Amino acid sequence: MTAHTLASESMQPIQTLMASWDPHAHAEHVSVIDSSNTELMRRARQGDNRTCLLLADEQTAGRGRLGRQWQGQPGDALTFSLGLSLSPTDWSGLSLAVGCCLADALDPSYDKNIGLKWPNDLLLGNWTHPRKLGGILIETVVKQGAQEASRYVVIGIGLNLSAPPVGEYRSTPAGLREVSGEQLTTVDVLQAVLPGLLKGLKHFERAGFAVFQQAFERRDVLSGQALQLSDGTRGTSLGVNTHGVLQVQTEHGQLQVSSDEVSVLPMEAT
Ligand code: BTN
């Protein structure tokens, strides 16, 4: 146990929030794990489909999108996964909806300049100087015997409280303490984001991404910006549609970008 390890009583408010949302839901806290997403996915594949929030002080094999690593120092990053069954009619745009819930909870007055970058990043600042604050990794398991729309989904969230060293990341990272005060703890942040996240997931299940589209637009750092896709295609972002699909204007016409395999980069200088 490190000095940063949470006391178990710190989890009580989180347990209470989870139970008020679903009486069968529970929260767990571990000091070290390979990855909170990997653990909930492992359990789900073994048939454990319970609603669970798993908070980890430290991950030894934290994962990001596109097979990237996610690194966070204990006490300096909030790392947790929420596993639950969801049955939306349309799954598209879930990571964007989660991003809206997090950003709205952390920056309700828009004065902290927390933005969202399609499809799963929280940023501080703008597209000219994007600094990554956090990311979302969503994975699903099809439940055996369930109707097709119902899946167990694991929503993994990593948020920097203090910016990790620059060298480990493609772009300069940022930390929430810069805008919310040096005293901020991981449990403070979890308590701040969890109610909105749980409410937002119910909303998403009922109405899909369309009800989050405006909220996303308000924080969309790509909108109107020149960008380059990981396959080299260049264009200008026209924002996202009601399914969370990124619209890109290229010289050959409008592209709809929904692939999970695509990343969006600032335009390289020519
Ligand atoms: C990304 O930026 O590509 C997504 C990062 C997601 C990191 C979180 S930390 C908690 C959960 N467990 C993981 O291994 N990854 C997610």
Side-chain angles (χ1 to χ4, degrees):
M1 302 275 268
T2 69
H4 299 290
T5 300
L6 295 169
S8 56
E9 59 269 23
S10 314
M11 285 300 281
Q12 197 49 56
I14 307 298
Q15 294 280 13
T16 307
L17 272 171
M18 292 297 289
S20 67
W21 190 62
D22 168 356
H24 302 294
H26 69 290
E28 285 176 42
H29 166 232
V30 290
S31 301
V32 186
I33 200 159
D34 50 357
S35 148
S36 53
N37 260 49
T38 303
E39 173 63 14
L40 292 188
M41 289 294 285
R42 225 170 4 228
R43 292 184 193 176
R45 290 195 185 103
Q46 289 163 3
D48 181 353
N49 288 329
R50 288 175 300 167
T51 299
C52 176
L53 182 144
L54 181 58
L55 171 67
D57 290 339
E58 185 177 356
Q59 298 185 116
T60 54
R63 295 184 290 113
R65 210 170 73 92
L66 305 175
R68 297 187 186 119
Q69 286 185 339
W70 169 271
Q71 291 169 344
Q73 293 301 312
D76 282 342
L78 169 66
T79 49
F80 73 98
S81 300
L82 177 64
L84 71 162
S85 296
L86 273 189
S87 321
T89 46
D90 181 1
W91 285 89
S92 58
L94 177 56
S95 68
L96 280 59
V98 169
C100 291
C101 298
L102 298 175
D104 286 353
L106 296 169
D107 182 19
S109 313
Y110 298 88
D111 55 351
K112 298 192 169 109
N113 208 11
I114 296 184
L116 295 169
K117 182 196 152 206
W118 185 95
N120 72 323
D121 284 350
L122 278 89
L123 301 181
L124 261 197
N126 53 36
W127 187 231
T128 326
H129 300 289
R131 298 178 59 215
K132 183 158 169 166
L133 196 57
I136 299 155
L137 176 68
I138 297 188
E139 301 176 290
T140 60
V141 180
V142 177
K143 288 164 67 180
Q144 283 174 357
Q147 60 204 95
E148 210 191 314
S150 176
R151 294 192 206 165
Y152 189 77
V153 60
V154 177
I155 300 169
I157 294 171
L159 289 170
N160 298 328
L161 271 63
S162 294
V166 176
E168 297 168 16
Y169 291 88
R170 291 184 312 162
S171 60
T172 318
L176 269 175
R177 288 186 179 123
E178 292 171 39
V179 287
S180 299
E182 287 302 312
Q183 304 307 317
L184 199 68
T185 67
T186 51
V187 172
D188 292 337
V189 180
L190 183 53
Q191 269 187 263
V193 298
L194 192 55
L197 177 60
L198 295 174
K199 198 167 150 210
L201 289 171
K202 284 209 164 137
H203 210 177
F204 180 88
E205 188 172 42
R206 274 197 312 273
F209 175 72
V211 289
F212 293 89
Q213 189 192 14
Q214 275 193 346
F216 186 83
E217 266 173 17
R218 251 192 110 165
R219 298 197 191 260
D220 181 2
V221 296
L222 292 181
S223 186
Q225 301 294 323
L227 53 79
Q228 187 169 344
L229 304 179
S230 44
D231 66 1
T233 307
R234 292 170 168 223
T236 302
S237 168
L238 303 174
V240 301
N241 69 12
T242 51
H243 299 282
V245 174
L246 179 66
Q247 319 286 302
V248 179
Q249 187 65 50
T250 73
E251 60 180 0
H252 306 295
Q254 205 169 308
L255 260 187
Q256 314 262 315
V257 187
S258 56
S259 168
D260 284 349
E261 300 305 315
V262 171
S263 52
V264 180
L265 313 162
M267 187 82 93
E268 276 172 15
T270 45

